[in-house]
Amino acid sequence: MSPELEALARRAELAGLNAASAPREAQVEGWLLRLSPGKAKRSRCVNPLAGGSLPLEELLRRCRVSFEQAGLPLILRLTPFSQPDDLDDRLAAMHWHRFDPADVMVLPSLDGFGEPGSSERLTPLSAADYAALIGALRRSSVEEITGHARRLEEASVRHQAFKLERDGVLLACGQVAIDPGPAGTSVGGMAGLFDIFTPEDQRGRGHGHRLCAALLGQARLQGATTAYLQVGAENDAAQRLYARLGFLQAYRYHYRSDDPRAWA
């Protein structure tokens, strides 16, 4: 990996953590615990950001207490940046199940992205309206929809949700969250694309591509200069879509748990 791509990857990881901030969070020895129920595992997992001084078994015990109190299975999110460095190997040796690998992709430049075509309309949505829309499309429960709306409303980075329509017909929907550049520098913001969804009867027509391009155009107008996203490692169609937009593979992460509820 080139130094430029590695720097973008590290920034994307931090931006993704900021964008996925949850209403219920805790810290244990440099590990970030997110304790919000819902479908999104990034809002109900441990992000091991620092090694800390406690033995691993004690770290896991303390995390488990918090997750049990929240009524959630204990899940750890493992990235190339997780600490301690050998954490994934140690969990594997403890027979913790590995599941749901995903790729983080980055876009080095937003030059050239603009508004959608003249026949299409990009309509902003409130957090509650977007959670209801995407929840209905995904057949989420009322609790999951409510939790999703709350996370969007209380996130430390503002999420802007949109739907792409033509003649009143929903073509695709998604959201963008812009992480500002480091204070005191000329580095522009980094836009994150989330929850990109095309209704089943509209797939294969390029709507997802046009929605993403329009969202990136919105982000560019607001000062973003780069972008990132997270996509399932086995989602070949989405991976090809994002590659056509110019996104590059940065790194892969996955989850581990010793509780079968986590991957059921």
Side-chain angles (χ1 to χ4, degrees):
M1 183 185 299
S2 70
E4 294 80 8
L5 186 57
E6 182 176 358
L8 270 181
R10 289 184 176 275
R11 190 175 174 201
E13 175 64 12
L14 292 176
L17 288 172
N18 291 338
S21 59
R24 297 182 61 188
E25 295 187 354
Q27 292 271 353
V28 175
E29 283 284 299
W31 284 15
L32 173 62
L33 282 60
R34 290 193 159 149
L35 301 160
S36 296
K39 282 191 174 181
K41 284 183 291 298
R42 60 180 178 268
S43 296
R44 51 182 177 91
C45 69
V46 177
N47 291 276
L49 305 179
S53 58
L54 293 174
L56 177 59
E57 292 74 11
E58 178 61 15
L59 272 171
L60 294 174
R61 186 193 70 78
R62 295 190 183 190
C63 291
R64 194 181 304 278
V65 169
S66 294
F67 276 76
E68 287 178 348
Q69 291 174 345
L72 297 169
L74 177 59
I75 302 173
L76 268 66
R77 178 176 175 268
L78 285 305
T79 78
F81 315 116
S82 295
Q83 295 295 321
D85 290 336
D86 63 347
L87 177 59
D88 191 40
D89 290 338
R90 294 173 69 181
L91 292 175
M94 295 163 61
H95 306 293
W96 279 49
H97 182 65
R98 181 183 189 276
F99 59 102
D100 288 1
D103 291 323
V104 174
M105 304 179 76
V106 295
L107 183 62
S109 173
L110 300 190
D111 290 348
F113 290 101
E115 297 291 328
S118 58
S119 66
E120 297 167 344
R121 180 182 179 188
L122 191 66
T123 304
L125 297 170
S126 68
D129 287 343
Y130 183 74
L133 173 63
I134 195 73
L137 291 168
R138 290 175 169 166
R139 298 181 175 85
S140 301
S141 68
V142 173
E143 180 184 15
E144 289 168 340
I145 292 172
T146 301
H148 189 187
R150 185 181 175 200
R151 289 194 301 274
L152 293 178
E153 291 166 346
E154 299 185 8
S156 57
V157 176
R158 186 168 73 95
H159 289 245
Q160 303 171 58
F162 297 88
K163 59 181 178 179
L164 187 68
E165 297 176 297
R166 181 187 297 136
D167 299 327
V169 176
L170 177 67
L171 306 179
C173 59
Q175 53 179 312
V176 60
I178 303 174
D179 198 73
T185 73
S186 59
V187 177
M190 190 174 207
L193 298 184
F194 292 92
D195 287 333
I196 305 300
F197 193 92
T198 302
E200 191 170 347
D201 62 349
Q202 295 293 336
R203 293 175 185 172
R205 305 182 189 184
H207 301 322
H209 185 282
R210 290 193 296 278
L211 171 69
C212 290
L215 295 181
L216 294 171
Q218 290 281 326
R220 183 178 62 82
L221 292 174
Q222 297 178 52
T225 57
T226 58
Y228 71 98
L229 55 84
Q230 301 166 1
V231 58
E234 298 178 357
N235 191 341
D236 295 334
Q239 298 251 4
R240 289 194 296 270
L241 182 158
Y242 300 135
R244 290 197 299 272
L245 287 163
F247 280 89
L248 306 173
Q249 182 93 10
Y251 62 94
R252 179 168 290 183
Y253 68 85
H254 59 270
Y255 297 91
R256 282 195 187 274
S257 179
D258 62 350
D259 188 331
R261 292 178 300 161
W263 62 85

